[in-house]
Amino acid sequence: QFKRLIKEGPSCIVWPLQSVVGRLSLRVQQLDVLCETKTKDNVFIQVGVAVQYRVVTESAYDAWYRLTSPTSQIQAYVFDVIRSTIPRMELDQAFESKDDIAQAVLEQLQSVMKDYGYAIVNTLVTDLAPDTKVKASMNEINAARRLKEAASHQAEADKVRQVKNAEAEAESRYLSGMGVARQRMAIVQGLQSSVAEFSKEVDGATPKDVMDILLLSQYFDTLSTVGANSLILEHDPATVAKLQRQVGVSFLRDGSVSGKDLLS
């Protein structure tokens, strides 16, 4: 027959008239529960829940005499909450709602176990483990998404590189054209200066004579350059005169065309 509760610390009993029928620990204990269930998108997962509980000192009589196995009772309620909550969620939502699941288990256990002398301190969802094939498929989906993003960034980088190369080539051609134009302008100015100086220094020399001499000099320079490449060319002294006449005819033709354009 139950007589009294003996609190912690030293105490005396009259044996064999009295005896200790059981001992309850007042420490916070933890029960790890592993539950298998199915999500809304038909994925089976293993849900790990850690329940931290302790005996209420004032309700030690209920904790000892009203429950044969408190761990089995707690486990049963955990199964009930998990298997009624997870099936309403998809897999991704279940991972995002771990705190909500833990809170639902905590509220259910607190409302039930307080009548049996137990206080539920906390509940934690420690693990959500889908099937290995599901994990592999999720990893492949994430890998494909990452590869797609990487390909998009690589294409954008290639586009920028090609645009910059085109801009650089256009700028290079522009500067090269400017350099050629300045070079030709400098050559023309040099020829003009040479013709003017030669005409002043040599009496009776006309600008035409000076141009003939320069043309002959350029012709011989060309022959020297071509000969350096082991090429054999037929040389005719009349070539310079023919070249001069061709240049003169070209200038006259261009001048006449320009004049007609102006008249028109």
Side-chain angles (χ1 to χ4, degrees):
Q1 183 180 2
F2 175 79
K3 293 296 185 181
R4 62 191 175 99
L5 293 174
I6 300 176
K7 297 183 178 180
E8 63 274 9
S11 59
C12 296
I13 61 173
V14 180
W15 189 87
L17 299 179
Q18 297 177 337
S19 64
V20 178
V21 295
R23 294 179 176 85
L24 291 174
S25 174
L26 299 180
R27 294 180 179 179
V28 175
Q29 304 177 64
Q30 178 168 309
L31 175 64
D32 294 321
V33 181
L34 187 62
C35 176
E36 183 179 20
T37 186
K38 185 183 71 171
T39 62
K40 187 177 181 180
D41 47 354
N42 298 323
V43 178
F44 283 89
I45 59 174
Q46 295 281 347
V47 183
V49 180
V51 180
Q52 298 172 352
Y53 65 98
R54 65 178 180 84
V55 175
V56 180
T57 305
E58 294 78 9
S59 303
Y61 177 86
D62 295 332
W64 179 258
Y65 284 103
R66 295 191 64 184
L67 277 181
T68 302
S69 177
T71 56
S72 299
Q73 185 84 354
I74 293 174
Q75 185 176 10
Y77 280 107
V78 170
F79 282 176
D80 179 67
V81 174
I82 292 298
R83 289 174 176 169
S84 62
T85 304
I86 296 294
R88 297 197 297 265
M89 302 178 181
E90 294 185 353
L91 181 60
D92 293 339
Q93 185 182 2
F95 277 99
E96 296 172 359
S97 305
K98 290 176 61 177
D99 293 339
D100 296 336
I101 299 171
Q103 184 64 28
V105 175
L106 177 63
E107 293 175 357
Q108 179 71 13
L109 289 177
Q110 283 180 338
S111 63
V112 173
M113 297 303 294
K114 67 179 181 180
D115 295 334
Y116 298 100
Y118 286 90
I120 306 301
V121 179
N122 199 4
T123 57
L124 303 172
V125 177
T126 57
D127 189 21
L128 285 173
D131 186 75
T132 305
K133 294 182 179 179
V134 177
K135 287 183 179 179
S137 63
M138 293 175 66
N139 291 332
E140 290 178 359
I141 292 173
N142 290 329
R145 185 183 299 116
R146 299 297 182 185
L147 290 175
K148 182 179 178 181
E149 293 177 0
S152 176
H153 290 304
Q154 182 65 34
E156 189 67 23
D158 292 340
K159 176 184 175 182
V160 173
R161 190 180 299 110
Q162 291 178 4
V163 170
K164 292 300 181 181
N165 290 337
E167 292 177 354
E169 184 177 359
E171 185 70 16
S172 175
R173 291 180 181 272
Y174 173 76
L175 295 176
S176 178
M178 292 290 294
V180 172
R182 291 177 180 176
Q183 179 185 14
R184 291 176 179 175
M185 186 181 298
I187 292 174
V188 172
Q189 291 176 354
L191 290 175
Q192 291 177 348
S193 177
S194 299
V195 170
E197 292 294 332
F198 192 84
S199 300
K200 291 179 182 179
E201 296 294 334
V202 180
D203 295 334
T206 62
K208 181 179 180 302
D209 298 332
V210 178
M211 290 301 299
D212 290 341
I213 295 173
L214 291 175
L215 187 59
L216 182 61
S217 176
Q218 292 293 327
Y219 177 72
F220 282 121
D221 290 341
T222 302
L223 290 178
S224 176
T225 303
V226 173
N229 295 323
S230 302
L231 296 177
I232 300 175
L233 297 177
E234 182 180 357
H235 171 63
D236 186 2
T239 303
V240 179
K242 293 178 180 179
L243 182 60
Q244 180 183 1
R245 286 196 299 271
Q246 292 174 359
V247 174
V249 171
S250 299
F251 282 136
L252 290 175
R253 185 183 299 111
D254 293 341
S256 61
V257 172
S258 300
K260 291 179 180 178
D261 292 339
L262 292 175
L263 289 176
S264 62

